[in-house]
Amino acid sequence: MSTAMVFERPALDLSPGRLPAGCPVIVRGMGPGLPGLLAELTEGRGGRFVRDHDGETVYLPGGGEPLIYLGSGRGVPYHAAIEYSLWGDGVSGPRFAAPEALPRGPAHFRRQVWPLVAKDLAYAYYRELLTAHPSRARMTWAEFERAYSAQEWGSAAMRALVRRAVPRFPDRLDLDRLDRPLAGIRFGDHAGLRRWMVGYIGADVERRADPAHSADLAVGHMARAVRDALAGTRHADPWLDGFTAFMADGPPGAWLEELRALALAGVVVFLGAGVHVRQDATGGWRAAGPTVPGAVQARALLDARGIVEKQEEHR
């Protein structure tokens, strides 16, 4: 008989006696429970973060850290928090996904409700872009708004409108790519994924600190407004809650820089998106996903999403 360790938030005992130095540990989830968990397993084991001569965050291991395999559904941490205010004409609340505009009876969220939510998110995004940064657009907000309001979300006419109004591709909103940046991307090994993640995290921190991209903040504000407007109605959906948290309730950029430093130090190994964790024949755990071939094995599973320690015995 073997015993596999499962820790769910808030973890009760992550001491070296339970998780010794170098012990492979699978951590599932990159949401709000992750920073505290990683702090206990890294700085709590004697490691520390410093700045190098270029101002980059570097992690100096203390020697007591476990080997942390980190994965989740999206495979990336929440977007960095934005600490400035909108520059343009903000939007007070949802227009297309207001409760009175939604179907009165039961509705499939992704097919019938999400297109209206997405249209509101893009409405807020382009309003901020065109009013705060008009030099990056080929039409005024008034012109864009009239045409935009008449189009269905995702239609060819709407895509053509955006191309005419916003000439630079990086200035156009891509909700699918924002939500699932690793979708369809494959790497030959974990080193390749690490290089991509280091670049992705750095770019996210830089973008979210730059008011030139204040339209991103407008998306977060609208996502919260829609979530709050739908709360308690038949159209409230857990998927929207998760999407909103990912877009608008992320950690400070400084913490994401620390996560990047942990990866560069070899303490954290990213597993990618769509990670599934299963128990193996020995009573340990195996984690695998489509981003990187193969599976990793560990004796302990830490769940950063939820926490009461449980012991599961397997014969």
Side-chain angles (χ1 to χ4, degrees), residues 128-283:
E128 174 68 13
L129 180 68
L130 271 64
T131 60
H133 313 285
S135 64
R136 286 150 61 185
R138 286 178 175 161
M139 64 177 65
T140 66
W141 167 247
E143 293 172 317
F144 182 87
E145 181 185 26
R146 282 194 299 271
Y148 181 88
S149 298
Q151 306 301 332
E152 290 189 8
W153 173 253
S155 65
M158 178 175 282
R159 293 194 298 271
L161 170 65
V162 170
R163 287 195 299 270
R164 291 197 308 274
V166 183
R168 295 181 66 250
F169 180 80
D171 284 334
R172 299 173 193 163
L173 179 64
D174 186 340
L175 288 173
D176 291 335
R177 181 56 63 188
L178 278 174
D179 181 41
R180 301 284 173 174
L182 274 170
I185 301 178
R186 303 291 182 265
F187 299 91
D189 53 27
H190 290 102
L193 173 59
R194 182 183 67 180
R195 287 190 292 271
W196 186 92
M197 287 289 292
V198 166
Y200 169 83
I201 292 172
D204 186 68
V205 170
E206 181 178 354
R207 180 182 176 102
R208 305 280 282 191
D210 185 354
H213 299 291
S214 61
D216 293 349
L217 179 60
V219 173
H221 283 187
M222 180 57 73
R224 287 196 187 111
V226 173
R227 177 192 60 191
D228 294 345
L230 298 186
T233 74
R234 68 171 69 242
H235 300 304
D237 191 272
W239 184 90
L240 179 61
D241 295 340
F243 173 84
T244 301
F246 176 68
M247 294 295 297
D249 299 330
W255 181 82
L256 288 172
E257 291 176 343
E258 292 179 353
L259 177 61
R260 181 176 61 176
L262 290 172
L264 290 172
V267 175
V268 165
V269 176
F270 296 114
L271 300 180
V275 171
H276 296 282
V277 181
R278 294 182 175 86
Q279 202 141 37
D280 62 24
T282 69

Side-chain angles (χ1 to χ4, degrees), residues 117-137:
V117 173
K119 190 173 181 180
D120 263 324
L121 297 179
Y123 181 91
Y125 177 92
Y126 289 115
R127 183 181 177 97
E128 174 68 13
L129 180 68
L130 271 64
T131 60
H133 313 285
S135 64
R136 286 150 61 185

Side-chain angles (χ1 to χ4, degrees), residues 42-72:
T42 56
E43 292 175 290
R45 299 291 184 93
R48 59 193 179 96
F49 294 98
V50 299
R51 295 278 185 178
D52 66 11
H53 63 279
D54 292 324
E56 295 289 329
T57 300
V58 175
Y59 181 70
L60 303 179
E65 300 89 348
L67 175 61
I68 302 168
Y69 290 115
L70 180 58
S72 67

